[in-house]
Amino acid sequence: MSTSSKFDYPRPNLKNPIHFLAFGGGVGCTPVAPGTAGTLLAVLIFYFLSLLNFWSYLFITLCILLLGIFICQKTSKDMCVEDHPGIVWDEITGFLITMIGSPREFIWILIGFLLFRFFDILKPWPIGLVDKNVKGGAGIMLDDILAGIISMVILNILLLVF
């Protein structure tokens, strides 16, 4: 494995299907703001998944969440990095959680994107507490799951008000 000179993190083996998924098909390899790039990929995924009925969307999001624990754990173990910034499967999951019950309209997608990135980047309590104390695949996923849940609640309140 070669290392990135700018961030000194190992590069993933994108020929490995687990790493390929964890890094969002390579989107997580972007040198600047890989989490934001992963969330932008999640917007595209949401756009297509939102064509499904509510229960199908929820089921697929749950499958993505459960699969993500394994994918993130395996990739971080293979790379010997606890939470590589290029692993974006957690951002994809968190954004899909954010958008549960939301319409497929640009304004709501934008608000969901901004809310999720806000909570994912700043990590207010309890997100920051989980981020610091829960390790492994569950830890990589859990802070984004919480950011997604909080963002979803706020977004759905905004939908009710407006």
Side-chain angles (χ1 to χ4, degrees):
M1 263 183 269
S2 64
T3 57
S4 167
S5 60
K6 185 172 183 181
F7 298 107
D8 201 31
Y9 284 108
R11 296 192 47 82
N13 174 7
L14 294 179
K15 291 179 183 177
N16 177 326
I18 305 284
H19 294 197
F20 183 81
L21 290 172
F23 277 75
V27 168
C29 294
T30 184
V32 178
T36 299
T39 307
L40 287 170
L41 174 61
V43 168
L44 182 63
I45 294 168
F46 165 76
Y47 193 75
F48 289 105
L49 287 181
S50 67
L51 295 170
L52 302 171
N53 68 51
F54 175 80
W55 295 107
S56 296
Y57 179 92
L58 202 57
F59 176 75
I60 290 172
T61 300
L62 179 62
C63 290
I64 288 170
L65 184 157
L66 295 173
L67 185 60
I69 295 169
F70 166 74
I71 287 171
C72 293
Q73 173 68 36
K74 176 77 172 118
T75 302
S76 71
K77 183 179 177 192
D78 289 351
M79 298 181 76
C80 300
V81 177
E82 181 59 39
D83 189 358
H84 193 296
I87 295 175
V88 296
W89 189 272
D90 51 334
E91 274 81 17
I92 293 167
T93 305
F95 182 75
L96 293 177
I97 291 168
T98 296
M99 299 307 291
I100 292 172
S102 297
R104 192 176 187 239
E105 297 170 17
F106 175 77
I107 188 65
W108 297 110
I109 295 170
L110 177 63
I111 293 168
F113 177 87
L114 294 173
L115 282 169
F116 176 71
R117 291 309 298 147
F118 173 81
F119 287 107
D120 187 34
I121 292 168
L122 293 183
K123 300 188 186 316
W125 186 91
I127 300 167
L129 181 68
V130 167
D131 185 54
K132 285 181 178 63
N133 295 305
V134 182
K135 302 300 177 197
I140 293 169
M141 292 291 292
L142 194 54
D143 65 308
D144 293 87
I145 291 168
L146 287 174
I149 291 170
I150 293 167
S151 299
M152 176 191 62
V153 168
I154 293 169
L155 187 59
N156 279 277
I157 290 169
L158 290 172
L159 280 163
L160 286 173
V161 172
F162 297 104

